[in-house]
């Protein structure tokens, strides 16, 4: 007849199992958090684990610091200052008021631009006074003018130009190799006009624009070449005191012919007139 097992001996295996379990839990609890992608908590580990390429669970990599977020790229152009200006002075609209009426758009393609085809040959006698436009502008802008005999005071032979872009005085003499010292500048370049609305004008309107005294100035030849077909965002007269008058003429032309400006062009003009907020548009 077997003897009944001692209660003390029966509890011994249970005590050994419990001790081993506690030891294992204690060991797991000392694992450093994140050392192998787990925290010792099954729930927390599931929340933070990700699947690495190939399907192997791994840690969520820390995002690399963004260079653009840490250091924003500087703006390529300074913001144009706000200009507080009256709508008109002595009955004439200010440049600031004109800018609000001129649309802001991007450049249209230059496709189809051929100066002599879309704006006519230079220089026509559009006002039918018997003189071509170049001689009309020379006669207007030069002083001490002398004319070629027999041309009814039409062809300018010589004169003095108080050059607006540089502030110098140029002694003009008509002739091969000397005439180009003084050139007639389209203040709103014809190529610029073509890309900013002139394509929508009629042929007659474009020829009028190309010969309009409002858009023409007798200027220093090299300065005119440097300007090329630039707008106010890319070129301004070297003589800073003339810049207010210069951008006023550009604004007047664009307003008259329904042309638009780019945002960069408007910003450049706004910066100029911030020093002359009462600048008005020229009459002609």
């Amino acid at each position: 007849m077997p003897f009944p097992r001692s209660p003390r001996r029966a509890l011994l295996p249970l005590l050994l199992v419990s001790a081993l379990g506690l030891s294992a839990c204690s060991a797991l609890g000392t694992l450093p958090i994140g050392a192998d992608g787990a925290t010792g908590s099954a729930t927390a580990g599931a929340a933070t684990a990700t699947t690495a390429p190939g399907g192997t669970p791994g840690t969520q990599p820390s995002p690399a610091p963004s260079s653009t977020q840490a250091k924003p790229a500087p703006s390529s152009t300074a913001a144009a200052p706000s200009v507080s200006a009256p709508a008109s002075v002595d009955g004439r609209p200010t440049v600031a008021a004109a800018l609000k009426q001129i649309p802001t758009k991007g450049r249209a393609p230059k496709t189809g631009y051929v100066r002599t085809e879309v704006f006519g040959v230079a220089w026509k006698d559009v006002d039918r006074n018997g003189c071509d436009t170049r001689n009309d502008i020379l006669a207007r802008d030069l002083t001490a003018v002398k004319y070629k005999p027999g041309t009814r005071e039409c062809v300018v032979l010589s004169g003095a130009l108080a050059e607006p872009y540089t502030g110098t005085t140029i002694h003009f003499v008509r002739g091969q190799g000397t005439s180009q010292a003084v050139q007639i500048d389209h203040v709103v370049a014809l190529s610029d006009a073509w890309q900013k609305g002139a394509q929508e004008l009629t042929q007659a309107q474009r020829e009028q624009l190309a010969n309009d005294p409002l858009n023409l100035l007798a200027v220093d030849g090299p300065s005119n070449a440097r300007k090329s077909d630039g707008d106010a965002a890319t070129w301004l007269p070297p003589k800073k005191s003339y810049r207010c008058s210069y951008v006023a003429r550009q604004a007047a032309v664009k307003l008259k012919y329904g042309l638009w400006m780019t945002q960069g062009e408007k910003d450049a003009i706004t910066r100029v007139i911030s020093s002359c907020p009462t600048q008005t548009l020229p009459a002609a």
Side-chain angles (χ1 to χ4, degrees):
M1 180 176 179
F3 292 96
R5 183 175 296 182
S6 168
R8 192 174 189 177
R9 294 179 62 184
L11 291 172
L12 184 59
L14 294 174
L15 292 173
L16 288 173
V17 171
S18 298
L20 288 172
L22 290 171
S23 176
C25 289
S26 176
L28 288 172
T30 59
L31 286 175
I33 295 176
D36 61 356
T39 63
S41 165
T43 304
T48 58
T50 61
T51 302
T56 304
T59 56
Q60 176 76 32
S62 298
S66 170
S67 59
T68 56
Q69 292 176 350
K71 187 178 181 181
S75 174
S76 58
T77 56
S82 59
V83 177
S84 177
S88 63
V89 174
D90 295 331
R92 295 208 56 79
T94 60
V95 177
L99 288 180
K100 295 177 181 179
Q101 300 179 56
I102 297 172
T104 305
K105 300 181 185 180
R107 285 180 179 271
K110 196 175 177 179
T111 307
Y113 174 72
V114 179
R115 197 269 192 233
T116 55
E117 291 183 8
V118 298
F119 286 99
V121 296
W123 295 92
K124 288 191 171 184
D125 178 15
V126 294
D127 59 3
R128 303 183 184 277
N129 69 345
C131 299
D132 62 64
T133 303
R134 173 177 167 81
N135 280 292
D136 282 342
I137 301 304
L138 288 174
R140 183 195 69 181
D141 292 352
L142 272 60
T143 58
V145 176
K146 292 184 178 180
Y147 297 96
K148 184 178 180 179
T151 63
R152 298 182 180 180
E153 295 192 342
C154 179
V155 178
V156 176
L157 287 181
S158 63
L161 173 67
E163 207 284 323
Y165 291 170
T166 62
T168 59
T169 298
I170 301 176
H171 296 284
F172 170 76
V173 177
R174 179 184 176 89
Q176 187 174 1
T178 60
S179 287
Q180 289 304 302
V182 173
Q183 297 179 12
I184 307 303
D185 178 35
H186 288 95
V187 179
V188 172
L190 299 184
S191 173
D192 180 72
W194 179 254
Q195 296 173 77
K196 296 175 183 174
Q199 297 182 38
E200 300 171 8
L201 301 178
T202 66
Q203 182 69 22
Q205 288 172 324
R206 287 195 294 267
E207 291 187 10
Q208 178 64 41
L209 168 60
N211 293 275
D212 191 338
L214 178 65
N215 192 32
L216 300 172
L217 288 175
V219 300
D220 169 57
S223 295
N224 189 38
R226 282 190 291 271
K227 172 192 171 182
S228 187
D229 60 356
D231 60 20
T234 59
W235 190 89
L236 289 169
K239 184 181 177 183
K240 292 184 178 180
S241 61
Y242 187 71
R243 290 179 178 179
C244 289
S245 297
Y246 176 76
V247 299
R249 191 169 290 273
Q250 286 192 325
V253 171
K254 294 209 165 182
L255 185 63
K256 178 177 180 178
Y257 287 93
L259 307 179
W260 66 74
M261 293 182 177
T262 63
Q263 187 61 57
E265 182 181 2
K266 274 193 175 181
D267 288 348
I269 292 176
T270 301
R271 282 191 288 271
V272 170
I273 64 171
S274 65
S275 64
C276 50
T278 58
Q279 176 70 49
T280 59
L281 303 184

